Amino acid sequence: MSLVELIAQADERGLAASGLACLDRCVPLLGGDDEILRPLWGNLTADSDAAEWAELLEQARGKLAGATEEDDEAGLLARRMLDDTPDDRSAAGIRLWADACSVASLQIHRLLDPAEDASSVDSRREGRTEGMPPLVAAELRRQISVLEVLAGHGAGGLRRALDITTEGRRVLRAVVSRRARGRK
């Protein structure tokens, strides 16, 4: 099943986790640490209170309020993912946000991958993966894996989804670090 199909079939928790996972993997571009979004992950558990999402989101936004370089397209895309996060995780807008986060995260990985990619991000999300650059291919696999785990295990799959996300964040952090060293 393509990423587009998985997003279309996801429930509200799956959509919130999918968007959050994309954002979390891109936190290195916002100067955040590995634990900055952990409270939001905790709010996706079966026994959590969805009404606390807005407060936890505001706290995360406050901690990530640092400026993004204006000429850094990848950083601006990450900032937009954070800024556009719905205050209500059960709102109709969560599907649009999760979908936008998917596109933005793939675009970020595409911008940071030194390999050229002649295909559009949309075609990648629809399943056309021939000749994908490695960083983009890995991000696409992570997005699909997160949605599959949550579809198969519901709230019980959150731990595995977080593990997949943590791995992706570490990869992106290394890419960002290498990129910064190359600029000096």
Short mmCIF file of all heavy atoms in Angstrom, two decimals, residues 4 9-10 16-17 48 68 74 78 84 88 96 108 121 129 132 145 158 176 182:
data_model
loop_
_atom_site.label_atom_id
_atom_site.label_comp_id
_atom_site.label_asym_id
_atom_site.label_seq_id
_atom_site.Cartn_x
_atom_site.Cartn_y
_atom_site.Cartn_z
N VAL A 4 0.30 7.41 0.50
CA VAL A 4 -0.94 8.19 0.34
C VAL A 4 -2.13 7.37 0.81
O VAL A 4 -3.01 7.87 1.53
CB VAL A 4 -1.11 8.64 -1.13
CG1 VAL A 4 -2.47 9.26 -1.37
CG2 VAL A 4 -0.02 9.62 -1.51
N GLN A 9 -6.28 6.02 5.12
CA GLN A 9 -6.96 5.03 5.95
C GLN A 9 -6.69 5.18 7.45
O GLN A 9 -7.34 4.52 8.25
CB GLN A 9 -6.55 3.62 5.52
CG GLN A 9 -7.05 3.27 4.15
CD GLN A 9 -6.63 1.88 3.73
OE1 GLN A 9 -6.07 1.11 4.49
NE2 GLN A 9 -6.94 1.54 2.49
N ALA A 10 -5.76 6.02 7.83
CA ALA A 10 -5.36 6.15 9.23
C ALA A 10 -6.46 6.78 10.07
O ALA A 10 -7.20 7.66 9.60
CB ALA A 10 -4.08 6.97 9.34
N ALA A 16 -2.22 11.73 13.97
CA ALA A 16 -1.47 12.59 14.89
C ALA A 16 -0.06 12.05 15.08
O ALA A 16 0.91 12.82 15.07
CB ALA A 16 -2.20 12.70 16.23
N ALA A 17 0.06 10.74 15.24
CA ALA A 17 1.38 10.14 15.43
C ALA A 17 2.23 10.25 14.16
O ALA A 17 3.44 10.50 14.23
CB ALA A 17 1.24 8.68 15.84
N SER A 48 -4.53 8.75 27.73
CA SER A 48 -4.21 10.18 27.79
C SER A 48 -5.46 11.02 27.59
O SER A 48 -6.48 10.56 27.10
CB SER A 48 -3.16 10.53 26.74
OG SER A 48 -3.72 10.36 25.45
N THR A 68 14.91 30.30 12.69
CA THR A 68 15.42 29.47 11.62
C THR A 68 16.05 30.41 10.61
O THR A 68 15.49 31.46 10.32
CB THR A 68 14.27 28.68 10.95
OG1 THR A 68 13.60 27.92 11.96
CG2 THR A 68 14.77 27.76 9.87
N ALA A 74 15.04 23.95 4.22
CA ALA A 74 14.72 22.77 5.04
C ALA A 74 14.25 23.20 6.43
O ALA A 74 13.25 22.68 6.95
CB ALA A 74 15.94 21.85 5.14
N ALA A 78 10.50 22.69 8.27
CA ALA A 78 10.34 22.11 9.62
C ALA A 78 9.58 23.07 10.53
O ALA A 78 8.69 22.66 11.28
CB ALA A 78 11.70 21.76 10.21
N ASP A 84 2.08 24.79 12.07
CA ASP A 84 0.78 24.38 11.55
C ASP A 84 0.14 23.22 12.31
O ASP A 84 -0.96 22.79 11.96
CB ASP A 84 0.90 23.99 10.06
CG ASP A 84 1.19 25.19 9.17
OD1 ASP A 84 1.09 26.34 9.66
OD2 ASP A 84 1.55 24.99 8.00
N ASP A 88 -5.92 20.93 18.34
CA ASP A 88 -6.83 19.84 18.73
C ASP A 88 -6.45 18.62 17.91
O ASP A 88 -6.65 18.59 16.70
CB ASP A 88 -8.28 20.26 18.46
CG ASP A 88 -9.28 19.20 18.85
OD1 ASP A 88 -8.88 18.09 19.26
OD2 ASP A 88 -10.49 19.49 18.74
N LEU A 96 -5.13 16.77 7.23
CA LEU A 96 -4.42 17.68 6.34
C LEU A 96 -3.01 17.96 6.85
O LEU A 96 -2.06 18.02 6.07
CB LEU A 96 -5.20 19.00 6.20
CG LEU A 96 -6.53 18.91 5.47
CD1 LEU A 96 -7.27 20.23 5.55
CD2 LEU A 96 -6.32 18.49 4.03
N ILE A 108 12.27 17.89 2.88
CA ILE A 108 13.45 18.22 3.69
C ILE A 108 14.57 17.21 3.43
O ILE A 108 15.72 17.58 3.20
CB ILE A 108 13.08 18.26 5.19
CG1 ILE A 108 12.27 19.52 5.50
CG2 ILE A 108 14.33 18.16 6.08
CD1 ILE A 108 11.59 19.51 6.86
N VAL A 121 8.06 14.53 -5.18
CA VAL A 121 7.76 13.94 -3.87
C VAL A 121 6.42 13.23 -3.92
O VAL A 121 6.25 12.14 -3.36
CB VAL A 121 7.79 15.02 -2.76
CG1 VAL A 121 7.21 14.50 -1.47
CG2 VAL A 121 9.21 15.51 -2.54
N THR A 129 9.14 4.41 -6.65
CA THR A 129 10.35 4.57 -5.85
C THR A 129 11.65 4.27 -6.60
O THR A 129 12.72 4.30 -5.99
CB THR A 129 10.28 3.66 -4.60
OG1 THR A 129 10.13 2.30 -5.03
CG2 THR A 129 9.12 4.06 -3.70
N MET A 132 15.31 6.36 -6.21
CA MET A 132 15.21 7.34 -5.11
C MET A 132 16.55 7.54 -4.43
O MET A 132 17.28 6.58 -4.21
CB MET A 132 14.22 6.85 -4.04
CG MET A 132 12.80 7.19 -4.36
SD MET A 132 11.66 6.52 -3.13
CE MET A 132 12.04 7.48 -1.71
N SER A 145 6.37 2.73 7.70
CA SER A 145 6.48 1.84 8.87
C SER A 145 5.68 2.37 10.06
O SER A 145 5.00 1.61 10.74
CB SER A 145 7.94 1.66 9.28
OG SER A 145 8.65 0.97 8.28
N LEU A 158 2.70 2.67 19.59
CA LEU A 158 3.38 3.96 19.76
C LEU A 158 4.87 3.79 20.10
O LEU A 158 5.69 4.56 19.62
CB LEU A 158 2.70 4.80 20.84
CG LEU A 158 1.39 5.46 20.41
CD1 LEU A 158 0.69 6.09 21.61
CD2 LEU A 158 1.64 6.49 19.32
N VAL A 176 22.65 16.96 9.27
CA VAL A 176 22.69 18.39 9.57
C VAL A 176 24.06 18.78 10.12
O VAL A 176 24.62 19.81 9.74
CB VAL A 176 21.56 18.77 10.56
CG1 VAL A 176 21.73 20.18 11.11
CG2 VAL A 176 20.20 18.62 9.89
N GLY A 182 30.55 21.35 6.72
CA GLY A 182 30.92 21.64 5.33
C GLY A 182 30.84 23.12 5.00
O GLY A 182 31.50 23.59 4.08
#
